[in-house]
Amino acid sequence: MDQEDRIALFLDYENLALGVRDHHGGRAFDLRPIADALAERGRVVVRRAYADWSYFDEDRRMLTRSHVELIEIPQRMGASRKNAADIKMAVDAVELAFEREYISTFVIGTGDSDFTPLVHKLRELNKRVIGVGVENSTSALLPPACDEFLFYDRLEGVEVPPAAGRRGRAARPAGTGAPPPAERPAGPPTELPAEAAPAAEEAARDVDTLAVLVAQTVAGMQGSSSGEVTASGLKRTLLRKDPTFSESDYGFRTFGELLRHLAGHNVIELAAGPAKGDPEVSLPERGDREVAFALLRSVVVDLAGEGGAAALSGLKDQLRRARPDFSEKKLGYRSFLQFCKAAATSGAVELRWSAEAEDYLLTPQTA
């Protein structure tokens, strides 16, 4: 138990409850999905919810059964109840951060950007901050400030009405919160294939984008550190880049399943890591890279001819005509120029800057 994170949960209850009511077809807020998600991340030792409870009388019993301490912020004539609750919650969180050093993680349940300074202060105090909010009522300023952000709508056990649309990632494969077929609006049978095809294409594009993100992240971690890149370290880095990242949004049950999928498509390689269940992640040193370098050389030969040279500008389009799925980013390169420099280093082509052409010129490597 000493290795577990100690978690303090603070809920801006009015923001969450009204967000669920307004965007989930009038349904009531349920704490259980949040509690289950936090149980996977550590031991919750503090649970507090702030509101004028005369407005949420029916919710008291549900929260009390979950051992949540209800902090009463009564509404007074002519006073701002919302500001009073926000200030009280922020003061209590900072006070707890100083008084309870063993608490390593603070969970702030709200979508209100007014809590962004609180998040920054807690992180200054070396606390990990997880945000929780309803997707359509969460300010765009709040998630990037957190170490991790959980959208209530995407948590396991939350039933989202079919009419409630997603922002951002439009397609979510079955099993990741998409409504079952029986709940989807009925339509003429002839329309279903036309609707299903764009959804499948969108899901494929999402996974393709994810492959690029993972490859670039691994390449950056390998370049900035002499140590190995582990799966746990990679997940933490992805969350730092995008606190809303979740492998379940792409149809994977676990991060390990996602990595195995990418390894099966030669985006990354997996090897035994320093701990069981935490494999080492690296980019392929051979295979797809050598094939890509050979493709580049063949295209340069076709364009340059005998003793000629091919300009870098427009070369990527030529590669994609020969191989439509070509992407230097999937191979871990941040730009096409970086990919060409790597190909030159490997001996596939020669690369030089031409002041006359004001462009890089590539020629086939001579033996």
Side-chain angles (χ1 to χ4, degrees):
M1 191 169 67
D2 290 340
Q3 302 300 319
E4 290 181 322
D5 281 339
R6 265 63 166 190
I7 299 174
L9 172 63
F10 288 81
L11 300 175
D12 177 8
Y13 195 79
E14 179 177 348
N15 182 278
L16 292 175
L18 296 184
V20 171
R21 186 195 68 185
D22 294 343
H23 299 288
H24 287 206
R27 298 184 183 184
F29 172 80
D30 184 5
L31 181 66
R32 176 51 53 189
I34 296 177
D36 289 345
L38 297 184
E40 298 168 356
R41 289 162 172 79
R43 181 179 172 220
V44 181
V45 296
V46 174
R47 299 175 178 86
R48 296 179 185 175
Y50 297 74
D52 182 343
W53 295 107
S54 63
Y55 287 86
F56 303 100
D57 191 58
E58 295 181 359
D59 297 1
R60 289 172 179 262
R61 186 173 300 174
M62 178 269 295
L63 294 170
T64 302
R65 283 199 302 264
S66 299
H67 310 288
V68 177
E69 181 183 359
L70 307 183
I71 308 299
E72 179 73 36
I73 307 294
Q75 181 178 15
R76 294 174 296 179
M77 189 66 66
S80 175
R81 172 171 51 90
K82 177 184 180 301
N83 287 343
D86 291 358
I87 293 171
K88 173 64 174 171
M89 181 168 148
V91 169
D92 286 356
V94 172
E95 182 181 39
L96 197 68
F98 280 105
E99 290 185 348
R100 304 288 188 268
E101 293 185 0
Y102 58 82
I103 295 180
S104 57
T105 302
F106 281 74
V107 178
I108 308 299
T110 184
D112 193 343
S113 62
D114 289 349
F115 285 98
T116 303
L118 170 63
V119 172
H120 290 319
K121 178 56 64 176
L122 291 172
R123 296 185 69 183
E124 285 180 19
L125 296 173
N126 198 30
K127 305 298 184 181
R128 185 167 184 263
V129 181
I130 300 174
V132 181
V134 179
E135 190 165 2
N136 287 328
S137 62
T138 295
S139 167
L141 299 175
L142 188 60
C146 302
D147 293 295
E148 182 179 3
F149 198 92
L150 306 175
F151 284 117
Y152 175 83
D153 322 56
R154 302 181 187 181
L155 295 178
E156 185 68 30
V158 176
E159 296 183 5
V160 180
R166 301 276 187 198
R167 290 190 306 179
R169 306 179 183 97
R172 297 186 67 191
T176 58
E183 295 179 8
R184 292 175 184 149
T190 55
E191 295 181 4
L192 291 179
E195 294 176 355
E201 292 174 3
E202 183 65 29
R205 283 197 297 270
D206 279 350
V207 176
D208 191 63
T209 302
L210 177 62
V212 169
L213 173 64
V214 171
Q216 286 184 314
T217 302
V218 172
M221 294 176 70
Q222 287 180 329
S224 62
S225 174
S226 58
E228 68 274 3
V229 177
T230 62
S232 58
L234 175 60
K235 177 68 176 288
R236 287 193 296 270
T237 303
L238 290 172
L239 284 171
R240 283 194 289 268
K241 287 186 171 184
D242 177 10
T244 68
F245 170 80
S246 173
E247 59 275 3
S248 64
D249 287 339
Y250 299 92
F252 300 99
R253 294 169 297 178
T254 65
F255 190 62
E257 182 179 336
L258 163 62
L259 294 181
R260 290 190 292 273
H261 171 82
L262 296 180
H265 287 75
N266 296 319
V267 176
I268 58 172
E269 290 181 347
L270 299 177
K276 185 178 180 181
D278 192 15
E280 181 180 344
V281 185
S282 61
L283 294 174
E285 295 297 334
R286 302 177 64 84
D288 277 7
R289 289 193 184 193
E290 290 189 348
V291 171
F293 291 161
L295 174 65
L296 175 64
R297 187 181 189 282
S298 67
V299 171
V300 169
V301 168
D302 291 341
L303 293 176
E306 186 67 27
L312 180 68
S313 301
L315 185 58
K316 184 175 178 178
D317 291 336
Q318 298 297 325
L319 262 70
R320 284 185 167 169
R321 288 192 180 95
R323 182 177 170 181
D325 63 343
F326 170 79
S327 171
E328 74 279 0
K329 292 182 173 61
K330 278 188 180 181
L331 300 171
Y333 300 106
R334 288 179 170 81
S335 67
F336 185 63
L337 175 59
Q338 187 186 34
F339 166 73
C340 291
K341 288 180 177 179
T345 301
S346 73
V349 294
E350 291 181 352
L351 178 69
R352 63 182 175 85
W353 172 258
S354 171
E356 182 179 353
E358 295 184 347
D359 199 356
Y360 283 96
L361 298 180
L362 292 87
T363 55
Q365 183 72 281
T366 55

